[in-house]
Amino acid sequence: MSNRMWGGRFASGPAEIMEEINASIGFDKRLAPQDIRGSLAHVAMLGQAGILPAEDVAAIEAGLKSVRDEIEAGRFVFKRELEDIHMSVESRLTEIVGPAAGRLHTARSRNDQVATDMKLWVRDTLDSLDQQAADLQRALAETALKHAGTVMPGFTHLQSAQPVTFGHHCLAYVEMLARDRGRFRDARARLNECPLGAAALAGTSFPIDRHATAAALGFDRPTANSLDSVADRDFALESLAAASICAVHLSRFAEELVVWTSAQFNFVRLSDGFTTGSSIMPQKRNPDAAELVRAKSGRIIGALTGLLIVMKGLPLAYSKDMQEDKEGTFDALQALSLCLAALTGMVKDLEPNAAVLSQAAGSGYATATDLADWLVRELGLPFRQAHHVTGRLVGAASAKGIGLEDLSLPEMQEAEPRITEAVYAVLGVANSVASRTSYGGTAPDNVRQQAQGWIERLA
């Protein structure tokens, strides 16, 4: 049997495989709240414009609210033969209110309807992700304030480079998340134009008020070109791009947690709440939550890549290829939400091992740059010469298997005769971090000020 919602042109129903490939109700049913919101705004506008009589508008509005209640209560039956959420809602509406339901689709198409639904869903999700990212920022900033003076090694090339503080390290991710939130807000601002009323692709001859439906749905304005309205999926692509960059940031932090919780590093500890055991090795405490955050970045980036490839060859306006925007977008943004929640929990849960961090901060001649800076500042050496002198001293200490601070003064003076006892003051890791007072530097007072500032902004 042909589909009674659109099958007037067809004498028979679709082949079984056609129904299988064509149906989207299995995943687009999550658009039900947005679909009903859009329909309520549309029917209200049709009534205000005098296109539908008041009694039909009232019946349709009451019916849509009944459908919404059924869906929220879990009583709604989604039928595969109805293809998608739009047809499912309209079919049930017809059962509730009768022929008047058929007037709902006046002056619109599934093309502008689905574009509106998706924009509403993505907009709602971006708002939620922004809040979750703020929650993670807050957890990081509070940890940074608590550990503003906890010294740890800073790395380049995963080699010990210079001492920093644990709080300073946490604040680096606060800054990354601030940029992520900026991208979420930018994407939201650009998507906030309403496609509803563009109809199939050319607009409509009915005297509709697209500004009214845009305002009712919280959009800034209606979209300006009917072709672009139904052909555009930039809003999904841009949101996925912002999500992908955020996922990369989360993955980098997750990778550090994986490394830091290993027995070889032992920098931080996660509780039983965020680790798992082994089926064969009873001693294991595996950072599975962090590993899964790291892995899910691949799914999120893959969704962006997949949709870019779907869209790259499509002529204007709408093609059924665009149905493929949904599963990847739903999955990716849900995965990002889960990653944000998991990392927020881990940040609140983790406990830095201050003694191990401090010892590691002094390894690998991490205060060599402090020594070079001292030679420039106190003795007036050009930095390149100071770099050379420091390199000789590192070589001498390395040959003896000792730290720079363990070299005797005569041994230091072999490399530069003017070195005095005062040099030892800059070779301790605590002195090193305290000296980094430049704006954005790791000095504990800087970290406290930055962390407190973020906590106040995020309150």
Side-chain angles (χ1 to χ4, degrees), residues 69 109 126 151 332:
D69 292 343
S109 161
L126 287 176
V151 178

Side-chain angles (χ1 to χ4, degrees), residues 301-458:
I301 295 165
L304 169 61
T305 304
L307 185 54
L308 283 167
I309 294 169
V310 166
M311 296 300 297
K312 71 175 182 61
L314 297 186
L316 297 183
Y318 180 83
S319 298
K320 198 59 178 274
D321 311 51
M322 291 162 67
Q323 181 170 289
E324 290 296 311
D325 65 344
K326 295 173 190 61
E327 286 182 281
T329 303
F330 293 157
D331 181 76
L333 299 188
Q334 180 180 357
L336 183 62
S337 174
L338 184 58
C339 290
L340 286 165
L343 269 179
T344 302
M346 282 185 275
V347 169
K348 292 179 178 179
D349 181 77
L350 66 82
E351 193 59 47
N353 190 335
V356 172
L357 287 169
S358 179
Q359 183 178 4
S363 66
Y365 306 102
T367 57
T369 305
D370 297 277
L371 173 55
D373 288 345
W374 184 89
L375 294 170
V376 171
R377 188 172 57 251
E378 301 298 327
L379 304 185
L381 268 63
F383 183 79
R384 288 303 171 200
Q385 184 180 348
H387 187 285
H388 180 74
V389 170
T390 302
R392 288 182 58 193
L393 291 172
V394 169
S398 178
K400 297 184 70 174
I402 59 176
L404 279 171
E405 67 278 10
D406 297 318
L407 287 171
S408 67
L409 182 60
E411 288 173 319
M412 289 202 176
Q413 290 172 337
E414 288 180 15
E416 170 50 61
R418 290 181 292 163
I419 293 177
T420 68
E421 289 279 355
V423 74
Y424 291 100
V426 302
L427 298 182
V429 292
N431 291 332
S432 174
V433 296
S435 72
R436 305 294 173 177
T437 56
S438 60
Y439 182 78
T442 192
D445 286 345
N446 284 14
V447 173
R448 291 186 189 96
Q449 184 177 6
Q450 290 279 0
Q452 191 61 55
W454 272 113
I455 290 168
E456 291 170 3
R457 286 197 292 274
L458 292 163

Side-chain angles (χ1 to χ4, degrees), residues 110-145:
R110 278 192 292 179
N111 294 354
D112 62 333
Q113 190 178 357
V114 70
T116 303
D117 290 359
M118 274 296 285
K119 278 196 169 186
L120 288 170
W121 187 89
V122 170
R123 190 179 70 184
D124 291 345
T125 304
L126 287 176
D127 289 344
S128 177
L129 290 171
D130 179 69
Q131 184 57 57
Q132 284 189 283
D135 291 342
L136 178 53
Q137 282 184 293
R138 189 176 299 105
L140 286 162
E142 289 171 352
T143 301
L145 185 61

